[in-house]
Amino acid sequence: LLLLAFLSCSAAALRHGIGSASQELSTDTTYYCCCKPKKCEDGAVGSDKNTLAVYTPDENRCCKFKKKRCGALFAFSAYKESKGKEYCETSQVTRYTPAAVNAPQR
C-alpha cells in the first residue's frame, strides 16, 4: 500500500514537472528545456512548433523546449540534457568579450 502511494505521488510529480527545468509556453502544456551537445540544425523548433532552438557556442549546445521530459524513456530525441529555461530562451555566451573592451589604454 505504501509503495502504491509513493508511485502515484511520483507519477503526479512527473506530470507537473516537479524537480526539472520547465516552462509554461501555453496555458495547457508544460515544456522542458532540453539540450544536446551539437549545433542546432537550420530551422530547428521546439515541441510548440513556433519557438526556435537556441545555440550556445561556448558549450556547443543546442537547446529547445520539449513536451516530454529530457531523456524520458520513450522520448526518442537527441535532446537528453535538462537545463534551466534561460538556455532555451537566449544563447548563454559567457566567455566572449568584444575586442574594444580588451584594448590596452594609452
Side-chain angles (χ1 to χ4, degrees):
L1 188 61
L2 186 58
L3 178 62
L4 198 54
F6 172 76
L7 291 176
S8 83
C9 288
S10 295
L14 289 175
R15 278 193 305 278
H16 296 291
I18 296 172
S20 64
S22 64
Q23 169 72 22
E24 295 290 331
L25 295 181
S26 71
T27 56
D28 299 332
T29 307
T30 296
Y31 289 88
Y32 303 92
C33 183
C34 302
C35 304
K36 68 176 183 177
K38 289 186 177 181
K39 193 171 182 178
C40 299
E41 290 85 19
D42 287 336
V45 293
S47 294
D48 67 351
K49 307 290 186 224
N50 293 316
T51 309
L52 290 173
V54 177
Y55 180 63
T56 297
D58 287 358
E59 301 174 22
N60 191 33
R61 179 176 284 125
C62 180
C63 301
K64 63 183 178 178
F65 287 114
K66 304 283 284 177
K67 283 184 184 177
K68 294 190 177 190
R69 289 175 57 96
C70 312
L73 185 59
F74 294 107
F76 300 104
S77 173
Y79 295 83
K80 298 184 184 313
E81 184 182 359
S82 180
K83 285 291 192 180
K85 69 178 183 170
E86 63 276 3
Y87 275 84
C88 287
E89 293 171 343
T90 58
S91 184
Q92 302 300 303
V93 177
T94 56
R95 291 183 282 189
Y96 175 75
T97 306
V101 175
N102 292 330
Q105 300 293 325
R106 293 183 187 193

